Amino acid sequence: MKPTLQLDSHGRLRHLLTLEGLSSELLLQILDEAEIHDQALRGPDKRQATLTGRTVINLFFEPSTRTRSTFELAATRLSADVMNLQIAASSTSKGETLFDTLKTMEAMQADMFVVRHEASGAAHFFAEHAAPGVAILNAGDGRHAHPTQGLLDLFTIRRYKGPDSDCFKKLTVAIVGDVLHSRVARSDIHGLRTLGAKEIRVVAPPTLIPAGIEEMGVKVFHDLDAGLAGADVVMLLRLQKERMLGAFLPSLAEFHRDFGLTRARLAKLKPDTIVMHPGPINRGVEIGGDVAYGPHSLILQQVSHGIAVRMAVMSMILGEPRAPVRAKRRSRR
Amino acid sequence: MKPTLQLDSHGRLRHLLTLEGLSSELLLQILDEAEIHDQALRGPDKRQATLTGRTVINLFFEPSTRTRSTFELAATRLSADVMNLQIAASSTSKGETLFDTLKTMEAMQADMFVVRHEASGAAHFFAEHAAPGVAILNAGDGRHAHPTQGLLDLFTIRRYKGPDSDCFKKLTVAIVGDVLHSRVARSDIHGLRTLGAKEIRVVAPPTLIPAGIEEMGVKVFHDLDAGLAGADVVMLLRLQKERMLGAFLPSLAEFHRDFGLTRARLAKLKPDTIVMHPGPINRGVEIGGDVAYGPHSLILQQVSHGIAVRMAVMSMILGEPRAPVRAKRRSRR
Amino acid sequence: MKPTLQLDSHGRLRHLLTLEGLSSELLLQILDEAEIHDQALRGPDKRQATLTGRTVINLFFEPSTRTRSTFELAATRLSADVMNLQIAASSTSKGETLFDTLKTMEAMQADMFVVRHEASGAAHFFAEHAAPGVAILNAGDGRHAHPTQGLLDLFTIRRYKGPDSDCFKKLTVAIVGDVLHSRVARSDIHGLRTLGAKEIRVVAPPTLIPAGIEEMGVKVFHDLDAGLAGADVVMLLRLQKERMLGAFLPSLAEFHRDFGLTRARLAKLKPDTIVMHPGPINRGVEIGGDVAYGPHSLILQQVSHGIAVRMAVMSMILGEPRAPVRAKRRSRR
């Protein structure tokens, strides 16, 4: 992976593929931009003209109504023209046809692709082959990265533990659950490290911790109570039930007993601990329903912030005058 | 069911779940507003700015391309941002997950949900749990209600039997067909009663008449010719063929013979009798194709009026200044 | 088929069903209009207000994400309100229900239907039954016609062999592949003949050449090298792999060996030969991947031009003041 692929020669964001390698200045710039959008979304008219006439294509090789909705709404509210394409990954699994799809949709004068794919690295593949002036936004690729989720998590933490961006340096963050399969966990860890989080913990049974994760600068816990002790932020991960049973876990009930966040466990934590989850939740598995909608939970706020963060990234990448870049692209054709 | 759930403290429409309990003043206000939209839809530019920047989500747990299209067009022509979500009812049958879906989409700053669900009461469930400032429009819930269909039927009757709104008091209306399963029949009956229809009849074989329907103030007929005699308005219901055979009916041919509206039967009625059907029609079952496109039929006009009526309801609920309500909602998050 | 169905009493385009019978003046008028749109699509803001408030419905009875996307983008960029309807052809195969679908969507105040159907003649059926003021655009019907593909091919040829519109008179064009099943080939042949192409060849094994095609004024070749000799333009057709094997072809490898355009074959042609393909390509069947993205290929340019051509047709049909026509339609209801 080449993180520099994401920046143009002026150091501005060109694609968003991963939070790995992005500077704290750039991360905070995105969060600041998102604050402005979050404010604007509170009024009745949530439209602004920033991306009028630009074309954003949601290219989803893996179905996800919920994630697609957030990108669709973000682009629509920036006045972009949005088109949703749901493509069976099976029919385009080969790089050759991914390439054909990219080039064909580029030829339809698309300005940005929001790409979701089950294969790690798919968004990088698109970015490496995209024409100048065409932007790629990673909406989740395999186990690799989900950078806008990472950004909205950082935004939410700063909103409730800040407002000072230095707040991260005082925070102990516990990431709980299926770290092994989680692109969300990877993006969260990259972002939290860059912003200087005091301590990052991953808490899961050994079968759900990837080998060598300590090298990312995190502490590994296999006991939930130990992992939660003193945490300021608890980030729960979604358990992909369908691919879990048998291979990695004895039973969902056992997972809940050992690693589920219940009201009783929450009561032992600091009163200002915040609880986060990327959704959709599995009630009674990684989280109790009463915790999900309880006073510590920021799960719905995360959803709201997700729109603002995606609007920020889209407008930072596409909203500026890019006339010279675009002129170059067109003359090549 | 709490019909008052539909009104705010000033008696204005807040949700639209059922016509039951709505005053004749409010019904006529909607019809009057719809007249304005129907007029505007005759020009080449069918867009108006009323709901610019508002977000309307079509939440369809039961597939219905046709009904969804009318709501999508109505909202689009009011300049709202529309998002279509088709959700398998099976995966969200439990109240818990319906609740999660509502809260998640609310967090995406949705202003209105158009809800279609196979379970009676689903729209009420959403309205009971919706945040202040979020509106629910019932697009059909089980056998319970389909209020916008009821409104467009009232609109169509007044258009062709009015223009005076007192016209209903002189009308005998025959509702023919599968009354048992029909949410359309229920909404029509509620609306017609409130507007003072002289006589409302339901005409069907005994197996397709719900027990106790006389309490709604209707007369029951099991013979079509008797039921049609003297009728000013004939409202045919769609026969859900797939769930009919065997259980309720001996055969479609027999139903057509006994309860289908043919040209011969129509010839015996008053020359100014109007024929209506919510569509899509089953030719040769509840209606003959020559009747459907014949001079008495208002079936296509009903479709047109459906757009105007839905625009009226959407703009009455969302179009007014609701700043204080919305501000309250936002500050809660 | 009645080609005159496509024109109004002033000789202006009213529907677009086939290129057969359209005058060279009209074809060139469309290409000229498309040049303007193609220019406008190079800027960052690709929206124009031409069709504001008009409703365009994509009525696809045969799935085609790619073709639908081009029509959707074209209409959106003209500011029309676009609605996509994917309808299973099985459930509407009878003319009666096609008619019902047309009339119902017309009643929703649709201004234009983009129709794709597996049955030859489906678009004509719609045009014959459409209300005055409602336009039909054929997006491919069976083996019959795909007129916007024909237009974008003409546009591409003129762009690279012109700019003079007389350029066609000097060109030898070879159409290679499955001519038998190809609506694209038919539309290309009609357009090329009308614009006076010097020589039109079809090149394919005998099983893939329709009987009597010589009457369309083309020369038939069963040998690829002979068919390509001296060609200025090579138009490859997509092989519908799924319906090919066994019935028409011994194997895909054999087809590629005998009729695939490889780099070696291309090297024998004139240096300024251009290669076209309607896409999506089958790499290693009708074309080598290196040829598809090589210097002679205009495949991606065709895609771009397809948007401009569709915008041209849509704005020529719907963009002009049609108030009297529309008023007449409405009063009939």
Side-chain angles (χ1 to χ4, degrees):
Chain A
M1 304 292 175
K2 292 175 278 180
T4 55
L5 187 60
Q6 306 190 91
L7 304 179
D8 70 12
S9 57
H10 300 87
R12 288 174 309 199
L13 203 59
R14 171 158 152 47
H15 305 292
L16 179 63
L17 310 174
T18 170
L19 298 190
E20 188 180 1
L22 294 187
S23 68
S24 60
E25 290 71 25
L26 189 53
L27 293 184
L28 293 175
Q29 188 193 347
I30 298 171
L31 301 194
D32 291 347
E33 175 90 14
E35 288 283 356
I36 297 167
H37 291 289
D38 186 62
Q39 202 65 35
L41 289 173
R42 296 170 194 222
D45 182 355
K46 293 174 286 281
R47 272 234 174 201
Q48 51 175 271
T50 318
L51 299 189
T52 302
R54 299 305 193 95
T55 300
V56 173
I57 297 188
N58 283 326
L59 208 52
F60 273 56
F61 298 90
E62 193 180 67
S64 172
T65 301
R66 182 187 164 125
T67 300
R68 198 212 66 210
S69 297
T70 60
F71 282 99
E72 180 177 348
L73 286 174
T76 300
R77 288 168 179 171
L78 291 167
S79 296
D81 298 327
V82 186
M83 195 162 65
N84 293 315
L85 297 181
Q86 175 75 53
I87 301 177
S90 59
S91 71
T92 56
S93 51
K94 290 183 299 183
E96 268 182 9
T97 36
L98 278 186
F99 184 82
D100 290 344
T101 300
L102 171 66
K103 290 298 153 189
T104 302
M105 303 312 296
E106 269 182 11
M108 295 184 197
Q109 299 97 10
D111 297 290
M112 173 178 276
F113 294 90
V114 176
V115 178
R116 173 94 162 210
H117 202 289
E118 62 183 357
S120 301
H124 273 81
F125 177 88
F126 277 103
E128 275 165 2
H129 295 93
V134 171
I136 306 298
L137 249 180
N138 186 359
D141 62 328
R143 303 183 186 183
H144 172 240
H146 194 351
T148 56
Q149 179 72 41
L151 287 167
L152 76 88
D153 287 343
L154 296 174
F155 183 94
T156 303
I157 292 172
R158 190 177 75 167
R159 168 68 62 88
Y160 286 86
K161 293 295 183 183
D164 190 345
S165 294
D166 278 340
C167 70
F168 293 97
K169 298 179 179 152
K170 292 174 253 165
L171 297 178
T172 295
V173 181
I175 302 174
V176 181
D178 178 13
V179 180
L180 179 63
H181 297 96
S182 177
R183 49 198 175 205
V184 174
R186 275 167 193 70
S187 287
D188 282 338
I189 292 169
H190 285 304
L192 287 165
R193 280 198 64 190
T194 302
L195 295 184
K198 192 175 90 183
E199 184 172 315
I200 307 173
R201 304 170 177 174
V202 293
V203 188
T207 50
L208 294 180
I209 296 278
I213 194 166
E214 294 85 351
E215 291 161 25
M216 292 184 79
V218 303
K219 292 192 185 177
V220 175
F221 290 77
H222 299 309
D223 177 80
L224 182 57
D225 288 318
L228 292 180
D232 302 287
V233 179
V234 181
M235 304 177 95
L236 302 172
L237 301 173
R238 176 172 166 79
L239 199 71
Q240 303 290 345
K241 286 188 284 187
E242 50 286 8
R243 58 178 174 190
M244 276 293 137
L245 289 175
F248 298 95
L249 290 177
S251 79
L252 294 178
E254 194 167 316
F255 181 85
H256 185 63
R257 187 195 65 202
D258 292 345
F259 291 94
L261 190 63
T262 57
R263 197 166 7 173
R265 275 205 176 94
L266 192 56
K268 291 191 257 175
L269 303 188
K270 294 199 275 188
D272 63 347
T273 302
I274 60 175
V275 174
M276 298 165 69
H277 188 294
I281 59 170
N282 294 304
R283 286 165 181 257
V285 183
E286 68 263 9
I287 191 167
D290 49 356
V291 174
Y293 290 98
H296 297 264
S297 168
L298 298 176
I299 296 177
L300 294 176
Q301 286 85 343
Q302 286 173 276
V303 176
S304 292
H305 300 156
I307 308 278
V309 158
R310 284 161 186 130
M311 289 175 79
V313 172
M314 288 177 171
S315 59
M316 283 172 65
I317 293 180
L318 282 189
E320 293 164 304
R322 298 167 74 87
V325 175
R326 172 157 288 277
K328 228 170 93 194
R329 163 160 83 109
R330 296 299 173 185
S331 65
R332 224 186 52 133
R333 289 196 181 158
Chain B
M1 302 291 176
K2 291 175 278 178
T4 55
L5 187 60
Q6 305 190 93
L7 305 179
D8 69 13
S9 56
H10 300 87
R12 289 174 308 199
L13 204 58
R14 171 157 151 50
H15 306 291
L16 180 63
L17 310 175
T18 171
L19 299 190
E20 188 180 1
L22 295 187
S23 67
S24 61
E25 290 72 25
L26 189 53
L27 292 184
L28 294 175
Q29 188 193 346
I30 298 171
L31 301 193
D32 292 346
E33 175 91 12
E35 289 284 355
I36 298 166
H37 291 290
D38 187 61
Q39 202 64 36
L41 289 173
R42 296 170 193 223
D45 181 355
K46 294 175 284 285
R47 271 234 175 201
Q48 51 175 270
T50 318
L51 300 189
T52 302
R54 298 305 191 96
T55 300
V56 174
I57 297 187
N58 282 326
L59 208 51
F60 273 55
F61 297 90
E62 193 179 65
S64 171
T65 300
R66 182 187 165 124
T67 300
R68 198 211 65 210
S69 296
T70 60
F71 282 100
E72 180 177 348
L73 286 174
T76 300
R77 288 167 178 171
L78 291 167
S79 297
D81 298 326
V82 187
M83 195 162 67
N84 292 315
L85 297 181
Q86 175 74 55
I87 301 178
S90 59
S91 70
T92 56
S93 50
K94 291 181 297 182
E96 268 184 7
T97 36
L98 279 186
F99 185 82
D100 290 345
T101 300
L102 171 67
K103 289 298 153 189
T104 301
M105 303 313 296
E106 269 182 11
M108 295 183 196
Q109 299 97 12
D111 297 289
M112 175 179 275
F113 294 90
V114 176
V115 177
R116 172 93 161 211
H117 202 289
E118 61 183 357
S120 301
H124 273 81
F125 177 89
F126 278 104
E128 276 165 0
H129 295 93
V134 171
I136 307 297
L137 250 180
N138 186 0
D141 63 327
R143 304 182 186 184
H144 172 241
H146 193 351
T148 57
Q149 179 72 41
L151 287 166
L152 74 89
D153 287 342
L154 297 175
F155 183 94
T156 303
I157 293 172
R158 189 177 76 167
R159 168 69 61 88
Y160 287 85
K161 293 295 182 184
D164 190 345
S165 294
D166 278 339
C167 70
F168 293 97
K169 297 179 180 152
K170 294 173 252 163
L171 298 178
T172 295
V173 181
I175 301 173
V176 181
D178 178 13
V179 180
L180 178 63
H181 298 96
S182 177
R183 50 197 174 206
V184 174
R186 274 166 194 71
S187 286
D188 282 338
I189 293 170
H190 285 304
L192 287 166
R193 282 199 63 190
T194 302
L195 295 184
K198 193 176 90 183
E199 185 172 314
I200 307 172
R201 304 170 178 174
V202 294
V203 188
T207 50
L208 294 179
I209 297 277
I213 193 165
E214 293 85 350
E215 291 162 25
M216 291 184 80
V218 303
K219 293 192 185 176
V220 175
F221 290 77
H222 299 310
D223 177 79
L224 183 56
D225 288 318
L228 292 179
D232 303 286
V233 178
V234 181
M235 305 178 94
L236 302 172
L237 301 173
R238 176 173 166 78
L239 199 70
Q240 304 289 345
K241 287 189 282 188
E242 50 287 7
R243 57 178 174 190
M244 276 293 138
L245 289 174
F248 298 95
L249 289 176
S251 79
L252 294 179
E254 193 166 317
F255 180 85
H256 184 63
R257 189 195 63 203
D258 294 344
F259 291 94
L261 191 64
T262 59
R263 197 164 10 172
R265 275 209 177 92
L266 191 55
K268 291 191 258 174
L269 303 188
K270 294 199 275 189
D272 63 347
T273 302
I274 60 175
V275 174
M276 298 165 68
H277 188 294
I281 59 170
N282 295 304
R283 286 167 182 256
V285 183
E286 69 262 9
I287 191 165
D290 49 356
V291 174
Y293 290 97
H296 297 264
S297 168
L298 298 176
I299 297 177
L300 295 175
Q301 286 84 343
Q302 287 173 275
V303 176
S304 291
H305 300 157
I307 308 278
V309 158
R310 284 162 185 130
M311 288 175 79
V313 172
M314 287 176 172
S315 58
M316 283 171 66
I317 293 180
L318 281 188
E320 291 164 304
R322 298 168 75 86
V325 175
R326 173 158 288 277
K328 228 169 93 195
R329 165 161 82 109
R330 297 300 174 185
S331 64
R332 225 186 51 132
R333 288 195 181 158
Chain C
M1 304 289 176
K2 292 174 277 180
T4 54
L5 187 60
Q6 305 190 93
L7 304 178
D8 69 13
S9 57
H10 300 87
R12 287 174 309 197
L13 202 59
R14 171 157 151 49
H15 305 292
L16 180 64
L17 310 174
T18 170
L19 298 190
E20 188 179 1
L22 294 187
S23 68
S24 61
E25 290 72 25
L26 189 53
L27 292 184
L28 294 175
Q29 188 192 346
I30 298 171
L31 301 193
D32 291 347
E33 174 90 12
E35 288 285 354
I36 298 166
H37 291 289
D38 187 62
Q39 202 64 37
L41 289 172
R42 297 171 193 223
D45 181 356
K46 295 174 286 282
R47 272 235 174 200
Q48 51 175 271
T50 317
L51 299 189
T52 302
R54 298 305 192 96
T55 300
V56 174
I57 298 188
N58 283 325
L59 208 51
F60 273 56
F61 297 89
E62 193 180 66
S64 171
T65 300
R66 183 186 163 124
T67 301
R68 198 211 66 209
S69 296
T70 61
F71 282 99
E72 179 177 348
L73 286 174
T76 301
R77 287 167 179 171
L78 291 167
S79 297
D81 297 327
V82 187
M83 194 162 66
N84 293 314
L85 296 182
Q86 176 75 53
I87 301 179
S90 59
S91 69
T92 57
S93 49
K94 291 181 297 182
E96 267 183 10
T97 35
L98 278 185
F99 184 82
D100 290 345
T101 300
L102 171 67
K103 290 298 152 190
T104 301
M105 303 312 296
E106 269 182 12
M108 294 183 196
Q109 299 99 10
D111 297 289
M112 174 178 275
F113 293 90
V114 177
V115 177
R116 173 94 162 211
H117 202 288
E118 61 183 358
S120 301
H124 273 80
F125 177 89
F126 278 103
E128 275 164 3
H129 294 93
V134 172
I136 306 296
L137 250 180
N138 186 0
D141 62 327
R143 303 182 185 185
H144 172 242
H146 194 351
T148 56
Q149 179 72 40
L151 287 167
L152 75 88
D153 287 343
L154 297 175
F155 183 94
T156 303
I157 292 172
R158 189 176 77 166
R159 168 68 63 88
Y160 285 87
K161 292 296 181 183
D164 190 345
S165 294
D166 278 340
C167 69
F168 292 98
K169 298 179 180 154
K170 293 174 252 163
L171 297 179
T172 294
V173 181
I175 301 174
V176 182
D178 178 12
V179 180
L180 178 63
H181 297 95
S182 177
R183 50 197 174 207
V184 174
R186 275 166 194 70
S187 287
D188 282 338
I189 293 169
H190 284 304
L192 287 166
R193 281 200 63 192
T194 302
L195 294 184
K198 193 175 90 182
E199 184 172 314
I200 308 172
R201 304 169 177 174
V202 293
V203 188
T207 48
L208 294 180
I209 297 278
I213 194 165
E214 292 85 351
E215 292 162 27
M216 291 184 79
V218 304
K219 293 192 183 175
V220 175
F221 290 77
H222 299 310
D223 177 80
L224 183 57
D225 288 319
L228 292 180
D232 303 287
V233 179
V234 181
M235 303 178 95
L236 302 172
L237 300 174
R238 176 173 166 79
L239 198 71
Q240 303 288 345
K241 287 188 283 187
E242 49 287 8
R243 56 178 176 192
M244 277 293 138
L245 289 174
F248 298 95
L249 289 177
S251 79
L252 294 178
E254 194 166 317
F255 181 85
H256 185 63
R257 189 195 64 202
D258 294 344
F259 291 94
L261 191 64
T262 58
R263 195 163 15 170
R265 276 208 176 92
L266 190 56
K268 291 190 258 175
L269 303 188
K270 295 198 277 190
D272 63 347
T273 302
I274 60 175
V275 174
M276 296 165 68
H277 187 295
I281 59 170
N282 294 304
R283 287 165 182 255
V285 183
E286 69 263 9
I287 191 166
D290 48 357
V291 174
Y293 290 98
H296 297 263
S297 168
L298 299 176
I299 296 177
L300 294 176
Q301 286 84 344
Q302 288 173 275
V303 175
S304 291
H305 301 157
I307 308 278
V309 158
R310 284 161 186 132
M311 288 175 78
V313 172
M314 286 177 173
S315 59
M316 284 172 65
I317 294 180
L318 281 189
E320 290 165 305
R322 298 168 73 86
V325 175
R326 174 158 288 277
K328 228 171 90 195
R329 165 161 81 110
R330 296 300 172 185
S331 65
R332 224 186 52 133
R333 288 195 181 158

